[in-house]
Amino acid sequence: RLADLKGLKRGRFRLGVITTAKYFAPEILGAFCETYPGIDVSLKVSNRDRIIERMLNHEDDLYIFGEPDSIGLSVEATYLAPNPLIIVARADHPLVGEKNIPLERIIQERFILREPGSGIRDAVTRLFSKHGLKPNVRMELGSNEAIKHAIIAGLGISTLSLHSLNLDGGAGRLTMLDVEGFPIQRAWYLVHPKGRDLSLIARAFLAFAVEREAEIQASLDRTDAALRLSSPSA
Ligand code: PGA
């Protein structure tokens, strides 16, 4: 078998990903394990700062995160898929159905922000400060899931990756607002430190994952369509 020839019969593969990638990485890993059943895989999910720290400590074989050029380190980065950030509100929010809502209007809303170290937090605060604005932060939460629950509980609006609403996550109860400057277009990259040889397994995973871009895009499109349906005025 080809897998045996390539030395992929047995071994270990450790993947470290930012929180938004946890909504898709298990599917890629699952398919990978079917192709290479002798390989033990582990998945570590954390925020951007922690994942970069893990990379510096060589704790995993490969990483998924965004903006690899901004970390001041030589890395090899391979584009994987889009990772758009959207403004999420409860489906009955008064701003639902309004077009191109100005950021000045958004800062009047109670805002839920991710914890320091989060890439989402950085991206959203950067966008607001570019306009000389600050979101009206009423709560900081260290998890996208907790944020979804907080929005449903009426505690405010927030920024999430479109990926975090896949598989009916929040369908019918959450929707996306049409806000100026959003979606913030970002991407996931497969990253490892430059000059550090990838194992055969890690190389096989990288090639395997890159082939899944169309699937990831299709999942995003489904999530986008489901969210639009959940907004009463759509
Ligand atoms: P975070 O990263 O978990 O650090 O917020 C997610 C992302 O940047 O998409």
Side-chain angles (χ1 to χ4, degrees), residues 17-23 45-51 83 85-86 111-125 135 137-148 150-151 157-161 164 186:
V17 308
I18 51 171
T19 64
T20 50
K22 82 168 176 215
Y23 302 95
V45 180
S46 205
N47 71 23
R48 174 180 172 83
D49 279 9
R50 278 291 300 129
I51 289 300
N83 178 24
L85 293 185
I86 58 170
F111 206 86
I112 306 163
L113 198 61
R114 281 280 305 279
E115 78 287 0
S118 147
I120 295 181
R121 177 193 177 101
D122 287 353
V124 68
T125 46
V137 178
R138 285 298 171 84
M139 185 181 276
E140 277 189 15
L141 286 175
S143 129
N144 302 320
E145 298 309 303
I147 288 179
K148 288 197 275 183
I151 297 169
I157 62 174
S158 187
T159 304
L160 291 169
S161 161
S164 60
R186 296 156 77 238

Side-chain angles (χ1 to χ4, degrees), residues 2 5 15 32 69 95 103 111 149 166 206 221-222 226 230:
L2 193 61
L5 285 176
L15 181 66
F32 185 72
D69 297 335
L95 288 175
L103 289 177
F111 206 86
H149 286 275
N166 82 354
L206 200 152
D221 293 345
R222 279 194 302 275
S230 72

